[in-house]
């Protein structure tokens, strides 16, 4: 029996491999996908599979961190598209059958720091 | 002995309460604070305390979720400033003495969804 952490590791590996059969096998038929930044919500495995298969760009990913507490899992993943990198922080619910039932996804984008704190920080 | 999860709960409560003595007591003297979106890094308890004490706006926070695996903790916190809300997702390292030694902070901002997927999603 895979742990919820294993499920999320397989999820990311199958996405990177474009192994959509494995990817789909990890999803509950009623999975929900929630993007709070755009206030978008998607329902169901077929929609979510299509969203991922059709996502544009030659994206690649590297898992940086996965934390799991019972059926709740969070991952921090670095995506690279056309030489640009971005982090995704994603929360998963994994049920007792090892299927992902809910995904809550954050894509924090680069921004310029506000003025007034330069003396406290270094830039990298 | 407080758990790392307790430490992070106290961290957020003391921030909301502006109880800077308690807040400082949870930080290692050598704490680092890392903001990948702006590529800013801060070193040391005094700098980080000042950064928080002086942070502008009448901000308030509500902890939505905390996951802890040994000394690694992630929180999802909803901030409200002047009626606007934003989520912070924050990763913490907590040492054996219960002090926070490293903070990795993400502030995902709202954005408009790209075209081409409206038929797959609902907006909220």
């Amino acid at each position: 029996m895979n742990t919820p952490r294993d499920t999320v590791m397989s999820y990311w590996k199958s996405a990177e491999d474009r192994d959509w059969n494995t990817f789909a096998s990890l999803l509950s038929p009623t999975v929900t996908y929630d993007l709070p930044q755009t206030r978008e919500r998607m329902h169901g495995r077929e929609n979510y599979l299509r969203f991922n298969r059709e996502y544009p760009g030659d994206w690649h990913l590297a898992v940086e961190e996965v934390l799991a507490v019972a059926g709740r899992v969070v991952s921090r993943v670095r995506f690279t598209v056309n030489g640009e990198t971005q982090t995704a922080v994603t929360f998963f619910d994994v049920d007792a059958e090892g299927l992902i039932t809910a995904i809550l996804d954050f894509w924090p984008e680069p921004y310029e720091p506000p003025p007034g704190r330069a003396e406290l920080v270094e830039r990298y």
Side-chain angles (χ1 to χ4, degrees), chain A:
Chain A
M1 179 67 191
N2 287 336
T3 65
R5 188 179 197 284
D6 295 333
T7 296
V8 168
M9 294 298 288
S10 298
Y11 170 94
W12 288 123
K13 182 176 190 313
S14 59
E16 172 62 20
D17 293 345
R18 298 348 181 224
D19 174 0
W20 300 116
N21 288 333
T22 299
F23 187 86
S25 77
L26 301 167
L27 302 173
S28 164
T30 59
V31 64
T32 60
Y33 176 68
D34 201 325
L35 272 168
Q37 289 166 275
T38 56
R39 307 181 318 283
E40 290 175 291
R41 187 170 291 139
M42 205 170 300
H43 295 276
R45 183 168 53 200
E46 295 313 312
N47 275 345
Y48 187 58
L49 185 60
R50 184 176 148 203
F51 172 72
N52 279 276
R53 288 179 78 118
E54 297 181 359
Y55 204 90
D58 182 27
W59 49 268
H60 293 279
L61 66 87
V63 175
E64 300 202 310
E65 177 167 17
V66 177
L67 297 177
V69 177
R72 187 69 168 171
V73 186
V74 58
S75 66
R76 186 163 57 82
V77 174
R78 177 163 295 227
F79 277 78
T80 308
V81 188
N82 302 328
E84 299 209 340
T85 64
Q86 194 177 1
T87 294
V89 180
T90 313
F91 294 82
F92 299 87
D93 285 323
V94 181
D95 71 11
E97 279 71 51
L99 297 180
I100 295 167
T101 59
I103 301 170
L104 174 64
D105 208 12
F106 294 97
W107 291 85
E109 298 191 305
Y111 64 93
E112 283 304 301
R117 67 199 200 194
E119 65 174 305
L120 296 175
V121 301
E122 62 178 36
R123 298 294 299 280
Y124 61 89

